[in-house]
Amino acid sequence: MHRYLSSPARLPGIADAPISSAIRIGERVFLSGANALQKDGSIAGLGDPTAQTNAVLDRFAEALSAAGGSLASLTKLTTCVVDRGYRSEVYAVIARRLPNVRAVSTGLVVAGLPLPEMIVQIDAEAAIPTAAPRHTRPYTFDNWHGQGFPWQGSMVLATDNEFFVRGQTGASLDHTGVNAKGRGHADAEAQADLAMTNLATILSEAGAALEGICKITVFIGDRAYRPAVYPMIGKHLGNVRPVSTGIITTGFARPDILFELDVVVMRKQGDAPHRRLRSYHSSAARYGLEGQQLDCEFCMAVVAGDRVILRGQTGVGLDEKFYGAGDAKAQAEQAMRNVETLLEEAGARMADVVKATVYVTDRAFLADVNKAVLRRLGNASPAFTSVIVKGLASPELLMEVDIVAIKDSRR
C-alpha cells in the first residue's frame, strides 16, 4: 500500500501544489526535490549557498523523519547548482551534515532553478532497508579533486531491492581524472566508452549487471556530442533496452567532463527478468521534428516488480508525430497523454505515480508545464522535482517529464 507523507508544499506559480515531500513504499522513499523555498514563499539564505544548502537538508530531514528515517537514509544525491563556483560551499555543507553516509552522487551545473534567487537544489533518493546498505568502492577525500571540500562516497550503494549508482563520466575509477580532455567528437566518444566500461565493472563488483539497468539518464554538455555518446552507450548495452531521458546541461563538476550517465538498477523479482514494453531502435525514433542516428536499443516502459519506469516523455506522441510546436504547455499535455497510455499498458494508472520530474528549457515555461503535469496526475500527490536545463534532445522540445509509478497491490 502507498504511504503518502505530505507537508504543505509550494511550487512557484502554484499555491498549495498537490505534491508530497516524501512517499514511502516498502524500503523505498521517493522524495521531492528540495531547495531553499520556504512554506511562506520566501527564499532562505538569499545569496548564501551555505544557508541554502542547510535549508535543503533541513527539508529532507523533516520529510525522512516523517517516513521513519533520517538523513542517514539518503542513498543518492543529484545536486544542481547554477554556477560551478558554488560547489565548494554547497558540498562542504553536505559533507558536514552527512558524515559516513556515503551516498552515491551526481553533480550538475544547470541553466536555472524554479526561482532566480535559488542557488542549489538537490533531487535525492532514499531507502530504509531491513539490512545495512552495502557499499562498493567507498572512498574518502580530504580535498575532493582540489575543489576545497572533503567528501565521502561510494560507487554503488546496494539495498535489499535496488542498486544506487554514482553518476558515471569519462573519469577513471582510481580517481586520477578524465583521460580524454579535449572537446571534440572523439573525446566525447572516449569518455562514453570509459564510463560504460566502468559501469559494467562496478555493477559486477556490487553483484549486479548491465542487464539489470531499467533506465538511463544521459546528461550532455552540448547537443553536438549526442551522435558520439549514444552509439557508444548502445554498443555496451546491446539488447538490454532500458528507458531513457536525454538532457543538455550547462556543466559538470569539472570543465573537462563532457557527459554524465545516471542509471536505475533494480534487482530481479525471482527468476523473472524485467519487462520492457514498446521496444524500439533509437535511429527509427523521432526527437522533435527529426530522427537522429544514435544506434541504441531502448523501450518506452520498464516494469520491475511493482515499479513502472517510463521513458522521458515530450511533445512527441506515441504515433511518432510532434505536437505543440513552440508551445510548452501543449507539449506537456501531449507528454501526459503518452504517460497515461504507457502506464495503462504496464498495468498501472495515473493514481499510481509516485515521482514526477519536469525539465523545461526556459523558466517562462515552468508554471504552465508543472500545472499541466499535475492536473493530469489528479489526486496522485507525487513527489515532484522541476529544473531548468540548457536543452533537450532537439531544439523543438521545450519540456520533458520523467515518471515513476508503483502499481497498487490491491489490484
Side-chain angles (χ1 to χ4, degrees), residues 43 46 54 65 123 136 208 230 251 286 328 335:
I43 299 292
L46 285 174
N54 274 308
S65 176
D123 200 13
T136 298
Y230 275 89
R286 285 189 180 275

Side-chain angles (χ1 to χ4, degrees), residues 317-338:
L318 299 178
D319 58 4
E320 291 297 318
K321 296 180 181 178
F322 178 52
Y323 298 88
D327 186 336
K329 179 181 177 183
Q331 291 184 26
E333 289 169 347
Q334 178 59 50
M336 294 308 291
R337 287 192 287 271
N338 297 347

Side-chain angles (χ1 to χ4, degrees), residues 76 163-165 199 203 213 215-217 261-265:
K76 174 152 188 162
F163 297 89
F164 299 89
V165 184
L199 178 61
L203 286 179
I213 295 176
K215 178 179 178 64
I216 67 170
T217 303
L261 177 69
D262 269 353
V263 295
V264 175
V265 184

